[in-house]
Amino acid sequence: SQQGEEDPQALSIQEGENATMNCSYKTSINNLQWYRQNSGRGLVHLILIRSNEREKHSGRLRVTLDTSKKSSSLLITASRAADTASYFCATDDVDTGFQKLVFGTGTRLLVSP
Amino acid sequence: DSGVTQTPKHLITATGQRVTLRCSPRSGDLSVYWYQQSLDQGLQFLIQYYNGEERAKGNILERFSAQQFPDLHSELNLSSLELGDSALYFCASSPWGDYEQYFGPGTRLTVT
């Protein structure tokens, strides 16, 4: 079963606008990651934030993490048509200590020119 | 290009059959993971191998098995296939101690 729930399920915006996606998870984590998937293709790692971090930036991406609320958000600023993809949050499994990833349900982002 | 390769890209087979999916990890990565992505279940972790040994198991059916060979490539074997096994199967790899995983392009399995 999936650990994370993402909101919204789908998001449609214009180029240049910002896109915000939210992820909620259920258990304790060591870190949370965001991945992007272009239609039916492999996942690409975007950013990792550790449980002791609150905010992280990478280029046009900003990720926040609130472990007290078990939630994270991904902000893409000045979006481009090439950002059209599905975005997934993924958490590790603290209980087993292994590196398996538990993925959220994903947000489908459509950026129109 | 992540450096992880998977073959074949597409596979169409009938119910009851057996197939083998192959994955070559990035050079130097000792860990290999298998995931299944379907419309109803989303992305599900199946199994992890590290340097030839099984390290973690997820929602992997008994009809499915995997192994990692001495050259670190991995194979996922799916047997007695059912319609519900139709999905994208991804392989990912990572170095030990690194949480970032690098995904292959996937194998799309269609069971008819």
Side-chain angles (χ1 to χ4, degrees):
Chain A
S1 61
Q2 289 171 297
Q3 151 113 281
E5 294 291 330
E6 290 174 68
D7 172 63
Q9 288 186 351
L11 180 60
S12 183
I13 60 174
Q14 299 289 120
E15 266 192 328
E17 295 179 341
N18 295 341
T20 299
M21 289 158 260
N22 303 296
C23 165
S24 61
Y25 57 91
K26 298 174 185 172
T27 63
S28 297
I29 62 171
N30 289 315
N31 60 73
L32 184 143
Q33 304 180 56
W34 286 89
Y35 285 80
R36 183 186 75 216
Q37 184 181 31
N38 289 82
S39 180
R41 301 178 70 176
L43 284 82
V44 175
H45 181 267
L46 296 177
I47 196 166
L48 179 151
I49 185 165
R50 301 196 185 280
S51 59
N52 61 355
E53 297 175 311
R54 292 295 166 258
E55 188 170 310
K56 201 162 183 180
H57 295 80
S58 176
R60 295 184 295 111
L61 306 180
R62 186 183 79 135
V63 169
T64 62
L65 179 63
D66 187 337
T67 52
S68 66
K69 294 181 179 177
K70 291 187 168 58
S71 68
S72 173
S73 68
L74 171 67
L75 168 67
I76 304 174
T77 60
S79 62
R80 306 165 182 167
D83 295 327
T84 294
S86 291
Y87 292 81
F88 295 88
C89 66
T91 54
D92 62 333
D93 189 331
V94 169
D95 289 339
T96 65
F98 293 122
Q99 293 172 282
K100 72 174 189 179
L101 294 177
V102 181
F103 284 87
T105 50
T107 292
R108 291 190 310 278
L109 174 65
L110 173 64
V111 182
S112 302
Chain B
D1 184 359
S2 67
V4 178
T5 60
Q6 289 187 248
T7 56
K9 282 188 179 179
H10 301 278
L11 201 48
I12 301 174
T13 189
T15 54
Q17 295 298 306
R18 172 190 169 95
V19 297
T20 298
L21 313 183
R22 182 188 168 103
C23 167
S24 292
R26 291 189 324 155
S27 177
D29 284 356
L30 299 180
S31 274
V32 169
Y33 312 78
W34 286 97
Y35 294 88
Q36 179 194 59
Q37 185 177 33
S38 62
L39 283 175
D40 55 344
Q41 294 292 321
L43 265 162
Q44 300 280 328
F45 167 76
L46 295 178
I47 197 164
Q48 177 199 2
Y49 279 84
Y50 173 74
N51 203 21
E53 292 189 6
E54 181 185 305
R55 295 304 300 266
K57 242 179 179 177
N59 300 322
I60 187 165
L61 300 171
E62 285 191 11
R63 300 183 286 108
F64 295 1
S65 64
Q67 54 183 326
Q68 186 180 29
F69 294 87
D71 67 353
L72 300 178
H73 90 271
S74 178
E75 292 181 356
L76 179 67
N77 300 297
L78 315 176
S79 62
S80 303
L81 285 168
E82 302 174 359
L83 295 177
D85 298 327
S86 295
L88 264 170
Y89 291 85
F90 289 106
C91 166
S93 73
S94 73
W96 180 251
D98 188 338
Y99 286 103
E100 177 179 339
Q101 295 183 17
Y102 299 86
F103 281 75
T107 293
R108 183 175 293 280
L109 173 66
T110 302
V111 182
T112 62

